[in-house]
Amino acid sequence: EVQLLESGGGLVQPGGSLRLSCAASGFTFSTYTMNWVRQAPGKGLEWVSAVSGGGDVTFYSDSVKGRFTISRDNSKNTMFLQMNSLRVEDTAVFYCAKDETGRGYFDYWGQGTLVTVSS
Amino acid sequence: DIVMTQTPLSLSVTPGQPASISCKSSQSLLENDGKIYLYWYLQKPGQSPQLLISEVSNRFSGVPDRFSGSGSGTDFTLKISRVEAEDVGVYYCMQSKQLPRTFGQGAKVEIK
């Protein structure tokens, strides 16, 4: 059974940093592109970032480029999102999602972890 | 960025009746490989999103056949032939022809 479990969310002040993790199980983790998608309170879905199976290719939305860094440790079946220079508008539930085809086929999602940026 | 526009944003449906959600993209989603990378996701209340439809019309494993997707180019439609109580939630279309992946605003389906 595929499982994705996010952790690392919490309350942080503007300008602060946070590192999210997504622990995966039930599939060959290194084979698949993984993504972060976020959802601000009461709002819609926003794609944030993606990392290739090998971890060598990464993509970011313009809203986080230069502030967030996506990575993965295939030996630990875990993906990360290092978030620096956090802004109030980064407040959201962050979901990790497995991409079956590398083209947006998000077949499995985690339960999400809440990041709150507030003073 | 490709802008995805959904209509309506909210609909209230009597159980057993059909429902339809439109999704329009600001540019064609037809890729050079001949595929159209348009997906539909459903986010039930209090849950994570779940995949319903891939590449316009392919139902994901376990998705009931009352759900169907159609469309081409820039205009797409998700149809529920007979709405059931478990279908409530917010439906999102998403394109992956190009980065960044972009979602529609979401269409909230409620039961009358």
Side-chain angles (χ1 to χ4, degrees):
Chain A
E1 178 192 5
V2 171
Q3 290 193 330
L4 299 172
L5 184 61
E6 303 94 336
S7 61
L11 175 63
V12 62
Q13 291 188 338
S17 298
L18 216 52
R19 190 193 197 203
L20 305 184
S21 299
C22 171
S25 61
F27 63 102
T28 307
F29 182 68
S30 61
T31 303
Y32 297 97
T33 295
M34 296 294 293
N35 292 256
W36 289 100
V37 177
R38 69 183 177 182
Q39 185 171 37
K43 302 297 184 182
L45 300 172
E46 179 190 13
W47 175 82
V48 172
S49 184
V51 59
S52 64
D56 54 328
V57 181
T58 58
F59 304 99
Y60 300 93
S61 67
D62 285 347
S63 60
V64 307
K65 197 173 298 181
R67 300 187 299 124
F68 291 9
T69 301
I70 193 172
S71 62
R72 63 194 296 162
D73 183 341
N74 287 341
S75 69
K76 297 181 179 178
N77 288 352
T78 304
M79 176 178 65
F80 305 99
L81 187 67
Q82 177 66 43
M83 304 186 296
N84 299 331
S85 303
L86 282 162
R87 305 167 179 167
V88 171
E89 55 266 33
D90 293 319
T91 295
V93 173
F94 282 73
Y95 298 100
C96 65
K98 168 183 171 285
D99 190 338
E100 172 69 17
T101 64
R103 289 304 300 265
Y105 193 108
F106 300 156
D107 54 349
Y108 291 95
W109 299 63
Q111 86 292 342
T113 187
L114 176 62
V115 172
T116 303
V117 185
S118 174
S119 55
Chain B
D1 297 1
I2 295 178
V3 177
M4 306 298 288
T5 303
Q6 291 182 235
T7 55
L9 298 183
S10 178
L11 58 167
S12 184
V13 187
T14 300
Q17 293 301 302
S20 180
I21 299 168
S22 171
C23 175
K24 296 182 186 295
S25 58
S26 60
Q27 57 184 271
S28 174
L29 300 185
L30 178 61
E31 185 61 289
N32 293 336
D33 60 9
K35 296 182 179 180
I36 300 176
Y37 292 99
L38 185 282
Y39 298 84
W40 289 96
Y41 294 91
L42 164 61
Q43 187 173 31
K44 295 183 177 181
Q47 296 185 17
S48 306
Q50 59 189 76
L51 177 63
L52 287 179
I53 302 280
S54 65
E55 295 173 17
V56 180
S57 60
N58 301 308
R59 278 189 303 276
F60 183 57
S61 174
V63 174
D65 61 7
R66 63 179 180 275
F67 290 92
S68 64
S70 63
S72 62
T74 60
D75 291 350
F76 306 94
T77 302
L78 176 70
K79 292 183 179 179
I80 311 173
S81 59
R82 296 173 303 281
V83 172
E84 297 186 5
E86 65 181 23
D87 300 336
V88 298
V90 181
Y91 291 77
Y92 295 92
C93 59
M94 187 200 82
Q95 68 79 25
S96 63
K97 180 183 180 182
Q98 66 182 229
L99 291 166
R101 313 298 189 213
T102 47
F103 293 88
Q105 317 97 300
K108 187 174 184 179
V109 172
E110 298 175 322
I111 297 295
K112 281 184 180 176

